[in-house]
Amino acid sequence: MTNDDGINSPGLLALARSLARIGEVSVMAPEREQSGVGHAITLQKPLRINEVKLDAPVQVSYATNGTPADCVILALDGELPIPDMVVAGINAGANLAEEILYSGTVSAAMEGTLRGITSFAMSVNAHRYCIFEPAAEFAARVAGRLAETGLPKDTFLNVNLPNLAADELGPAVLTRLGRRTYQNILERRVDPRGKPYYWFSGNPLEQDASEGTDIGAVVAGNISVTPVHFDLTSHGAVAELAELLDGLVE
Ligand code: MN
């Protein structure tokens, strides 16, 4: 298990407790929050790992100064026995549509998949007052099933839940990624020494929440399960580009 909210996040703890009921769990997670770091890996500084006590019946848990993708690499190449599965989360905040490009949580699952290990990511659609229990329960059911079936090659699951209690939650549905456009806010401030600094934030402006999308499922109160792979080739554009680039490419 890993995450991007850090070793002390309640979502990680809920997931560890739930998965420990069905299997042996080891944790390698960032010592601090790493939300938004995407698939970054650390090449310019040493990585440290420190064993920490987690209030869950896990085999072992480590906090690292690395990113979520680093955590997967550290676990697979270094300090832990090779796992049957990589599970990332539970993230506080949904990872829907193009957000998966920025998400450390989703990237950790992708890193597991790149290494040929059955992987999935779990997120809940709230940043505060998160209801993690239904997601933790569902993760254990998913892990139990995937332990038997595995996943299609190069594919992992990106799971998002609305922030609802179990009895308000709709069914789990298979989805595709939707689309969101953001109003990006770049705040310019001035520090006490007179130098400017900048702080990003943003709000979703428009979204494709149409039927079959991950956003649509979560808005409707359902659990969204999106199969994701890392082939970013625009397969549908190849024929059109052959015309657009006629004479330039063969
Ligand atoms: Mn996060």
Side-chain angles (χ1 to χ4, degrees), residues 53-207:
K53 187 93 191 78
L54 207 65
D55 189 17
V58 298
Q59 306 299 304
V60 67
S61 54
Y62 294 102
T64 82
N65 61 337
T67 65
D70 287 332
C71 288
V72 175
I73 295 166
L74 281 166
L76 297 184
D77 292 339
E79 300 297 325
L80 297 175
I82 297 294
D84 299 315
M85 210 170 287
V86 172
V87 187
I90 303 166
N91 192 63
N95 282 304
L96 299 164
E98 58 263 61
E99 289 161 359
I100 70 166
L101 297 172
Y102 304 96
S103 167
T105 307
V106 174
S107 296
M110 188 178 293
E111 184 62 33
T113 305
L114 286 169
R115 302 292 295 270
I117 295 178
T118 301
S119 303
F120 63 99
M122 300 291 310
S123 305
V124 165
N125 188 28
H127 289 94
R128 299 173 66 200
Y129 309 113
C130 296
I131 305 171
F132 288 118
E133 278 317 309
E137 294 281 328
F138 187 68
R141 289 174 58 202
V142 171
R145 176 66 67 90
L146 296 186
E148 290 171 12
T149 63
L151 279 167
K153 190 173 180 332
D154 295 339
T155 299
F156 65 95
L157 301 181
N158 182 39
V159 181
N160 283 276
L161 284 86
N163 195 42
L164 296 172
D167 59 348
E168 297 176 319
L169 205 53
V173 292
L174 276 173
T175 57
R176 66 179 187 277
L177 294 177
R179 192 72 207 273
R180 263 180 175 171
T181 49
Y182 275 82
Q183 173 199 25
N184 285 318
I185 299 164
L186 179 57
E187 264 203 44
R188 183 187 192 273
R189 302 181 187 175
V190 178
D191 76 16
R193 285 175 290 279
K195 283 187 91 172
Y197 66 98
Y198 300 88
W199 206 303
F200 291 158
S201 66
N203 300 305
L205 270 183
E206 286 175 46
Q207 52 186 29

